[in-house]
Amino acid sequence: MVKGLGKGIGALFPGEAVQQEGNIQQIALEKLIANPFQPRKLFQDEALEELAQSIKEHGIIQPIIARKKGRKYEIIAGERRWRAAKLAGLEEISVLVKEMTEQQMMEVAILENLQREDLTPIEEAEAYSSLIEQLNFTQEDLASRLGKSRPHIANHIRLLQLPEEVRVLVNDGSLTMGHGRTLLGLKNKRQIAEVAKKVIAQQLNVRQLEALVQSLNENVSRETKTPSRDIFVQATEAQLRDYFGTSVQIKKQKDKGKIEIEFYSDEDLERILEILRLERTE
């Protein structure tokens, strides 16, 4: 659930063309086209049917927002209402026509969806990633603007490191975000897709998956001829792995040793530094 957005998009991007000034028109549904920057990939049929029924009974209370593009109108915000209106049999719909650049379109489309509660973890991650990449935000900037913690932003973005076929499984609800994060702890990344299928087939919960990942990681260690370690070291590694959300190894050599914490991208490193309450030096 994305909190901290009650002030609306204008509070996040003051001065941008996101206010309600514009020209409201009745426009034929066939002249409207979807927003190419729409972060939402899944539109639940049942929810659309419910919205369509509401539109039949009460009409559309809030007009959708669009910009003129050639002979068509590109939807900026309100694609669900447009889809539901078609299901309801409407021929035209109230549209607030605005002038907006493609960057502003992307901002509004993403932020409008982040204010909703039903984005999937992958859709939410892609929305965060787009804002960071396209608007040159840092994770700290984004967390502050959205009222979320930096680890929350980082943990979602980290899901994008999953193979495409596994991201699809998280997106459609076959796997939870917790499953996805745990799968990223596999040392042998080529095993992720195979283990994901096993999770679904055997209906493993996150704790059971954590145990499986630990077992597989220990096999990887044996295959690389890592000397056997005492139970204390293995238990401590498990605690650190849960705490940091990534693979952690403790290596002892006589009277000294070292702790290795794996990270998989700059964003993942930032997430770990956040947990350690450290700032990255350039």
Side-chain angles (χ1 to χ4, degrees), residues 174-188:
S174 299
L175 296 174
T176 67
M177 179 176 175
H179 285 120
R181 289 181 59 189
T182 303
L183 286 167
L184 285 169
L186 279 165
K187 293 179 181 178
N188 185 348

Side-chain angles (χ1 to χ4, degrees), residues 158 184-187 189 217 237 240-241 244-249 260-264:
R158 188 165 172 250
L184 285 169
L186 279 165
K187 293 179 181 178
K189 302 307 176 187
N217 285 344
E237 282 184 344
L240 291 172
R241 184 168 57 248
F244 288 107
T246 189
S247 178
V248 178
Q249 291 188 53
E260 293 184 354
I261 303 173
E262 288 190 9
F263 64 91
Y264 307 98

Side-chain angles (χ1 to χ4, degrees), residues 29-237:
L29 293 178
E30 62 183 18
K31 289 188 176 181
L32 290 160
I33 56 178
N35 186 338
F37 303 109
Q38 166 68 259
R40 186 182 303 278
K41 303 298 187 293
L42 300 175
F43 291 86
Q44 300 294 334
D45 292 340
E46 184 177 345
L48 284 177
E49 289 287 355
E50 290 177 1
L51 182 54
Q53 185 60 39
S54 175
I55 288 173
K56 287 179 182 178
E57 295 177 7
H58 308 291
I60 294 181
I61 299 173
Q62 183 179 8
I64 69 172
I65 305 173
R67 70 167 183 169
K68 197 170 190 329
K69 187 170 185 180
R71 297 183 178 181
K72 298 284 187 177
Y73 292 84
E74 204 166 46
I75 295 173
I76 298 169
E79 186 171 335
R80 287 181 73 253
R81 277 167 280 157
W82 170 61
R83 289 172 179 262
K86 290 197 290 186
L87 287 175
L90 272 60
E91 294 184 357
E92 60 182 20
I93 191 173
S94 295
V95 178
L96 178 65
V97 181
K98 300 181 68 66
E99 291 185 5
M100 197 170 285
T101 66
E102 291 198 349
Q103 178 170 316
Q104 289 168 333
M105 277 190 67
M106 182 195 70
E107 294 172 13
V108 176
I110 291 175
L111 290 169
E112 186 214 25
N113 277 284
L114 283 175
Q115 291 183 77
R116 302 183 59 84
E117 299 178 8
D118 55 353
L119 284 181
T120 70
I122 297 297
E123 288 172 338
E124 190 174 338
E126 289 174 339
Y128 292 149
S129 181
S130 293
L131 288 170
I132 288 171
E133 184 176 327
Q134 299 296 329
L135 305 181
N136 296 317
F137 283 168
T138 64
Q139 290 186 10
E140 190 74 41
D141 293 334
L142 192 57
S144 175
R145 287 173 181 262
L146 298 181
K148 303 300 295 184
S149 69
R150 186 166 159 188
H152 173 91
I153 302 292
N155 284 332
H156 275 77
I157 291 176
R158 188 165 172 250
L159 292 176
L160 301 181
Q161 298 170 19
L162 290 166
E164 174 63 26
E165 61 187 297
V166 179
R167 293 203 300 271
V168 169
L169 295 173
V170 176
N171 215 26
D172 67 16
S174 299
L175 296 174
T176 67
M177 179 176 175
H179 285 120
R181 289 181 59 189
T182 303
L183 286 167
L184 285 169
L186 279 165
K187 293 179 181 178
N188 185 348
K189 302 307 176 187
R190 290 174 295 181
Q191 291 181 312
I192 289 178
E194 178 185 347
V195 174
K197 293 176 183 177
K198 186 171 184 177
V199 169
I200 295 172
Q202 298 184 10
Q203 298 184 330
L204 302 181
N205 60 33
V206 174
R207 289 299 177 192
Q208 290 170 324
L209 174 58
E210 288 173 349
L212 175 59
V213 167
Q214 181 177 351
S215 174
L216 292 171
N217 285 344
E218 288 171 356
N219 287 336
V220 170
S221 297
R222 284 194 290 269
E223 288 169 6
T224 54
K225 298 183 180 179
T226 301
S228 59
R229 296 161 296 151
D230 61 42
I231 296 175
F232 170 77
V233 170
Q234 295 180 48
T236 304
E237 282 184 344

